[in-house]
């Protein structure tokens, strides 16, 4: 149980996690590291001039040990660790969602893609909606900044080039209305 708590602490110290993501990672049993025995270090593998590289007598034939099969982690232990994390305020899906939205929007992703990523991480739909409503990100301005960064200050006006901007911003997760606002609201 203490090893499970220390794993949770290590995971949460590396970056924020949602409850479902942390639960999934804790349920995966850790595979112990087995150092390969048949490999030598760079320095010890250098041959002395009197040794023959093809000499069968000097060859070491060692079979690697099979990896031990990790044992299953009971769901009750994982639930106890998750409860422990909630008691110590290390785990909070609402804070995780707001921080995730902030981080991903700073990297130039739109609300649609961020929502999809949070759903994949197991965050509840209501928590995501609340976090997206409470964020101070202006998605139209962000879409404009991303388009300018990719395509230059003078955004294309002809349809063929405009469609490239549209596809790029849709891929980045912006809504159609936000993309259209670039040309409607930011006319130079």
């Amino acid at each position: 149980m203490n090893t499970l708590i220390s794993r949770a602490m290590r995971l949460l110290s590396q970056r924020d996690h949602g409850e479902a993501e942390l639960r999934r990672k804790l349920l995966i049993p850790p595979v112990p590291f087995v150092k390969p025995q048949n490999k030598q270090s760079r320095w010890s593998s250098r041959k002395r001039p009197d040794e023959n590289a093809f000499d069968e007598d000097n060859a070491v034939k060692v079979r690697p040990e099979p990896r031990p099969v990790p044992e299953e982690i009971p769901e009750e232990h994982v639930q106890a660790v998750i409860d422990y994390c909630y008691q110590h305020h290390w785990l909070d899906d609402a804070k995780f969602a707001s921080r995730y939205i902030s981080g991903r929007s700073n990297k130039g992703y739109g609300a649609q893609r961020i929502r999809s990523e949070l759903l994949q991480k197991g965050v509840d739909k209501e928590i995501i909606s609340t976090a997206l409503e409470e964020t101070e990100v202006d998605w139209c301005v962000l879409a404009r900044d991303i388009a300018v960064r990719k395509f230059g200050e003078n955004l294309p006006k002809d349809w063929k080039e405009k469609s490239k901007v549209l596809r790029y911003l849709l891929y980045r997760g912006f809504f159609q209305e936000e993309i259209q606002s670039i040309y409607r609201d930011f006319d130079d």
Side-chain angles (χ1 to χ4, degrees), residues 27-139:
L27 281 171
I28 299 172
V31 178
F33 177 74
V34 178
K35 185 176 181 181
Q37 295 178 348
N38 56 354
K39 297 206 176 187
Q40 297 175 343
S41 71
R42 249 178 46 181
W43 302 106
S44 65
S45 66
R46 290 189 176 170
K47 300 285 183 197
R48 287 185 219 106
D50 59 328
E51 288 183 357
N52 184 355
F54 300 105
D55 189 8
E56 290 291 324
D57 297 333
N58 291 334
V60 178
K61 296 180 180 176
V62 177
R63 287 190 166 192
E65 289 182 21
R67 285 190 170 201
V69 178
E71 58 187 51
E72 290 290 322
I73 298 174
E75 177 69 35
E76 303 85 43
H77 292 294
V78 172
Q79 185 58 46
V81 169
I82 298 242
D83 293 341
Y84 182 83
C85 290
Y86 272 120
Q87 290 169 357
H88 288 83
H89 306 289
W90 297 338
L91 195 61
D92 185 1
D93 277 356
K95 285 182 184 177
F96 168 68
S98 65
R99 288 182 187 141
Y100 192 84
I101 290 168
S102 174
R104 296 300 278 170
S105 64
N106 287 339
K107 289 188 177 183
Y109 292 102
Q112 192 171 13
R113 181 161 177 171
I114 294 170
R115 176 186 302 272
S116 171
E117 290 173 356
L118 283 170
L119 284 171
Q120 287 177 351
K121 291 186 177 291
V123 179
D124 189 45
K125 289 180 182 180
E126 287 95 35
I127 293 174
I128 297 171
S129 297
T130 304
L132 283 171
E133 289 169 6
E134 292 175 355
T135 188
E136 296 181 6
V137 176
D138 186 348
W139 299 107

